[in-house]
């Protein structure tokens, strides 16, 4: 196991950043699995720096009005709406 | 309907006439169908009904195909067995009691069971080729940019392509003819460079004659492999199951009998492809799946507390284990202090893999390997150890990192279980792959 294997606290911290609640059992399980997986990812250290010669081209379209979903369609899958708007929880 | 092949069985009739008139198609449940539930195999989207069709679905309808259902899949395309679906695992019609492979397991099973003539899946790290191999059917992962991803629910968008399944190479190629082509709603789609177009400046693309570059994909399924040069990357045979390797060599011998020749090639970069693939895919997933907040769509976290609390609650309840695992690992890999250690190195590995493939394909028309290093797992056998399962993708993920096309074609069986042979070609070399693979199925 590498020096900086993840701790349960780190798993909780990342879960908070990712906005995914975890129960204690999940934290325990993921802590063990993440240690193995991240240790495996560390073998990327052996990869040499490689020149990337990708020929990239910007793809533009004319900036013109186009039809889009009407608001009824756009709201159709929302768990809750009000007066033609999405209704969400408080922001803070 | 049997064996959980479809999440939603519903007929969507296409135009009266067209190249796919009278043909039935199963569509993976992460491809949007207007008015028909599209769940991505997730509780999060259990009730989601897209208001529009994916471009490939529009093209299916215009071609006269009848869609017969939305096929089961690993949740959000994350898995190699179709067992992470919220709606239950699909049995493998070609090997009952075994997994159909993933993540497009329902699509491959639909074709193998005769529930549909053809099917669409999506392939981010092998998700069309793996289930094709496990179910004994044909699956094509197109060159990145050949098929529009508009309406495909994104998981790892720099890697994934929608791809066709069929019982034969000609069938799959016929479906590719319908779905391929640029789309002004997906700016990553590209026209295949024309061989006569000097601008490409790429030696490997000039191997196609202008005539070849214009014929239909289906017309390329001639089975003619006379003079075909096949490179076999030694690294993709190491560690593979013995019975799989034997079946693979038997298929190569079959191609030799028909006039092909093979030589060994080395792709040293593929040793790091699995790590690079998972770092990139998980990083992209952590960003792409941030849209599932339970407000605009998805499982709601309720209305008590603030946005972050209800968002985190919706995602706890709506996502399964594998999805949470990948979102968290992706968030970790992109977080301050770790970006250079994981993500940047993974991009270096990706460039290295591309370079290796370019060199190997300068000396061979196609590369060949077993599609999967192992025969289909038994249902329930493999779920406990995610890392071991990730390693099973060793032969398929390098192709997605390099944006290249590949095909999985049935090669035979080992102990009664299907084995797939994978052929890899240069960018936009689908016709060459179809021609070669059609010698086997």
């Amino acid at each position: 196991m590498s020096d900086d294997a993840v701790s349960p606290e780190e798993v909780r911290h990342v879960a908070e950043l990712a906005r995914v609640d975890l129960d204690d059992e999940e934290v325990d399980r993921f802590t063990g699995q993440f240690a193995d997986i991240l240790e495996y990812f560390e073998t990327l250290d052996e990869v040499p720096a490689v020149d990337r010669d990708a020929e990239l081209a910007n793809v533009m379209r004319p900036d013109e009005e186009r039809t889009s979903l009407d608001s009824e369609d756009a709201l159709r899958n929302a768990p809750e709406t009000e007066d033609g708007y999405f209704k969400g929880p408080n922001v803070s | 309907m049997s064996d959980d092949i479809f999440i939603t069985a519903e007929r969507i009739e296409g135009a009266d006439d067209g190249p796919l008139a009278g043909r039935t198609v199963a569509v993976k449940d992460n491809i949007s169908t207007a008015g028909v539930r599209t769940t991505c195999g997730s509780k999060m989207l259990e009730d989601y009904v897209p208001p529009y069709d994916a471009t490939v679905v529009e093209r299916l309808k215009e071609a006269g195909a009848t869609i017969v259902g939305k096929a089961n899949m690993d949740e959000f395309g994350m898995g190699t067995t179709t067992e992470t679906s919220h709606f239950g695992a699909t049995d493998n019609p070609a090997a009952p009691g075994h997994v159909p492979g993933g993540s497009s397991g329902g699509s491959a099973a639909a074709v193998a069971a005769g529930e549909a003539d053809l099917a669409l899946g999506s392939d981010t790290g092998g998700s069309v080729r793996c289930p094709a191999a496990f179910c004994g059917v044909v699956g094509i992962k197109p060159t990145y940019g050949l098929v529009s991803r508009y309406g495909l629910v994104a998981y790892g968008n720099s890697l994934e392509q929608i791809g066709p399944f069929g019982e034969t190479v000609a069938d799959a190629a016929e479906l590719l003819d319908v779905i391929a082509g640029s789309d002004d709603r997906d700016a990553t789609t590209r026209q295949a460079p024309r061989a006569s177009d000097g601008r490409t400046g790429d030696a490997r693309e000039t191997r196609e004659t202008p005539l070849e570059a214009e014929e239909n994909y289906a017309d390329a399924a001639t089975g003619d492999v006379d003079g075909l040069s096949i490179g076999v990357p030694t690294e993709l045979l190491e560690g593979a199951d013995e019975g799989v390797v034997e079946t693979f060599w038997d298929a190569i011998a079959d191609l030799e009998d028909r006039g092909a020749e093979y030589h060994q090639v080395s792709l040293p970069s593929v040793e790091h492809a699995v790590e690079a693939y998972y770092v990139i895919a998980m990083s992209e997933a952590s960003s792409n799946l941030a849209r599932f907040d339970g407000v605009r769509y998805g499982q709601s976290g309720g209305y008590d507390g603030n946005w972050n609390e209800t968002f985190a609650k919706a995602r706890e309840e709506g996502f399964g284990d594998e999805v949470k695992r990948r979102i968290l690992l992706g968030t970790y890999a992109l977080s301050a202090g770790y970006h250079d250690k994981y993500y940047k190195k993974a991009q270096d590995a990706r460039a290295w893999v591309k370079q290796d493939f370019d060199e190997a394909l300068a000396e061979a028309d196609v590369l060949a390997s077993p599609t999967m290093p192992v025969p289909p797992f038994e249902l329930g056998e493999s779920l406990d150890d995610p890392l071991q399962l990730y390693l099973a993708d060793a032969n398929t993920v390098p192709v997605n990192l390099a944006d290249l096309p590949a095909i999985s074609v049935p090669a035979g069986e080992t102990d009664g279980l299907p084995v797939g042979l994978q052929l890899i070609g240069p960018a936009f070399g689908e016709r060459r792959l179809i021609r070669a693979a059609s010698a086997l199925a």
Side-chain angles (χ1 to χ4, degrees):
Chain A
M1 195 166 292
S2 63
D3 310 337
D4 48 4
V6 286
S7 63
E9 291 67 40
E10 279 178 287
V11 171
R12 283 183 209 281
H13 176 63
V14 175
E16 202 177 308
L17 292 176
R19 311 271 187 264
V20 179
D21 278 351
L22 298 180
D23 59 32
D24 292 344
E25 191 269 325
E26 285 176 309
V27 171
D28 284 349
R29 188 153 31 95
F30 285 163
T31 302
Q33 290 171 348
F34 287 8
D36 288 347
I37 294 167
L38 290 169
E39 187 184 356
Y40 179 62
F41 286 174
E42 277 166 24
T43 58
L44 284 170
D45 284 343
E46 298 158 16
V47 172
V50 174
D51 280 339
R52 288 163 220 169
D53 56 353
E55 288 174 38
L56 301 177
N58 287 323
V59 178
M60 304 293 198
R61 65 169 174 82
D63 184 17
E64 288 165 353
E65 271 183 40
R66 307 206 291 190
T67 52
S68 63
L69 291 179
D70 64 32
S71 57
E72 197 183 313
D73 279 341
L75 290 168
R76 200 197 296 161
N77 284 285
E80 196 160 335
T81 63
E82 192 174 304
D83 300 333
Y85 295 98
F86 293 107
K87 186 174 179 185
N90 296 327
V91 172
S92 60
Chain B
M1 299 302 156
S2 58
D3 301 328
D4 286 326
I5 287 174
F6 294 105
I7 292 173
T8 305
E10 180 149 336
R11 282 180 90 83
I12 307 172
E13 299 291 342
D16 290 340
D17 207 11
L20 293 183
R23 311 292 292 276
T24 56
V25 184
V27 174
K28 188 178 184 179
D29 209 29
N30 60 351
I31 298 173
S32 301
T33 40
V36 175
R37 184 169 79 128
T38 298
T39 70
C40 294
S42 182
K43 184 180 177 191
M44 179 62 82
L45 292 178
E46 198 165 6
D47 303 315
Y48 173 67
V49 177
Y52 62 92
D53 275 330
T55 296
V56 293
V57 169
E58 271 182 9
R59 290 182 181 174
L60 281 183
K61 287 177 168 175
E62 283 163 16
T66 299
I67 295 170
V68 289
K70 303 300 294 294
N72 202 3
M73 58 180 285
D74 279 303
E75 186 179 3
F76 285 103
M78 300 178 186
T80 306
T81 64
T82 308
E83 292 171 295
T84 72
S85 169
H86 173 65
F87 302 92
T90 299
D91 197 9
N92 184 336
H98 294 76
V99 303
S103 64
S104 313
S107 300
V111 173
E115 300 269 1
D117 300 322
L118 304 164
L120 288 181
S122 66
D123 190 313
T124 312
S127 282
V128 165
R129 289 160 286 156
C130 165
F134 280 7
C135 291
V137 298
V138 175
I140 301 174
K141 182 264 166 202
T143 306
Y144 188 80
L146 182 68
V147 177
S148 171
R149 285 178 295 106
Y150 179 79
L152 171 69
V153 179
Y155 149 36
N157 46 279
S158 83
L159 299 156
E160 62 207 0
Q161 278 285 286
I162 292 171
F165 291 94
E167 229 177 320
T168 65
V169 174
D171 281 350
E174 200 180 350
L175 182 50
L176 184 63
D177 275 314
V178 167
I179 61 171
S182 60
D183 178 11
D184 64 7
R185 291 176 300 190
D186 176 358
T188 63
T189 52
R190 292 189 289 162
Q191 293 284 359
R194 296 277 291 274
S196 53
D197 182 353
R199 192 188 57 81
T200 64
D202 189 336
R204 65 180 196 231
E205 271 144 10
T206 62
R207 297 170 77 114
E208 303 277 0
T209 68
L211 183 68
E212 283 177 310
E214 279 160 18
E215 70 188 356
N216 285 336
Y217 293 115
D219 291 342
T222 60
D224 176 11
V225 291
D226 193 25
L228 182 82
S229 139
I230 303 171
V232 178
T234 48
E235 291 84 355
L236 300 186
L237 291 170
E238 284 164 15
D241 176 273
E242 205 176 309
V244 168
V245 173
E246 266 177 42
T247 311
F248 168 77
W249 284 120
D250 287 348
I252 295 293
D254 192 0
L255 293 173
E256 271 191 300
D257 289 344
R258 293 155 186 255
E261 60 82 21
Y262 84 88
H263 60 274
Q264 305 250 345
V265 297
S266 179
L267 296 172
S269 65
V270 301
E271 303 283 0
H272 294 286
V274 171
E275 301 103 270
Y277 165 74
Y278 275 100
V279 168
I280 292 169
M282 289 172 178
S283 297
E284 292 184 9
S286 73
S287 167
N288 280 322
L289 271 62
R291 72 192 59 173
F292 300 108
D293 57 7
V295 172
R296 292 163 298 161
Y297 36 67
Q299 162 103 17
S300 170
Y303 306 95
D304 295 331
N306 69 28
W307 186 291
N308 288 343
E309 287 160 3
T310 58
F311 190 178
K313 188 157 172 273
R315 291 153 67 81
E316 177 187 27
E317 290 170 2
F319 289 144
D321 254 14
E322 187 58 38
V323 173
K324 287 178 190 169
R325 194 153 38 232
R326 293 194 193 188
I327 290 175
L328 263 52
L329 284 163
T331 302
Y332 184 84
L334 292 177
S335 65
Y338 294 105
H339 175 276
D340 285 2
K341 183 180 170 70
Y342 297 113
Y343 188 75
K344 189 168 169 296
K345 292 305 281 185
Q347 294 293 1
D348 280 338
R350 185 172 190 171
W352 187 21
V353 169
K354 281 180 198 238
Q355 200 179 65
D356 256 7
F357 271 115
D358 282 351
E359 284 168 15
L361 284 165
E363 309 288 328
D365 294 318
V366 297
L367 305 178
S369 76
T371 307
M372 297 299 290
V374 289
F377 313 102
E378 286 178 28
L379 281 158
E381 177 188 343
S382 62
L383 278 187
D384 288 344
D385 188 344
L387 184 55
Q388 284 309 311
L389 208 51
Y390 299 165
L391 293 172
D393 298 341
N395 288 7
T396 52
V397 298
V399 172
N400 300 71
L401 290 172
D403 303 331
L404 298 176
I407 188 166
S408 179
V409 60
E413 292 188 339
T414 174
D415 292 332
L417 299 170
V419 173
L421 176 131
Q422 169 177 248
L423 294 173
I424 305 164
F428 299 104
E430 276 81 357
R431 289 173 186 82
R432 190 185 302 178
L433 296 180
I434 287 162
R435 191 177 312 116
S438 61
L440 294 172

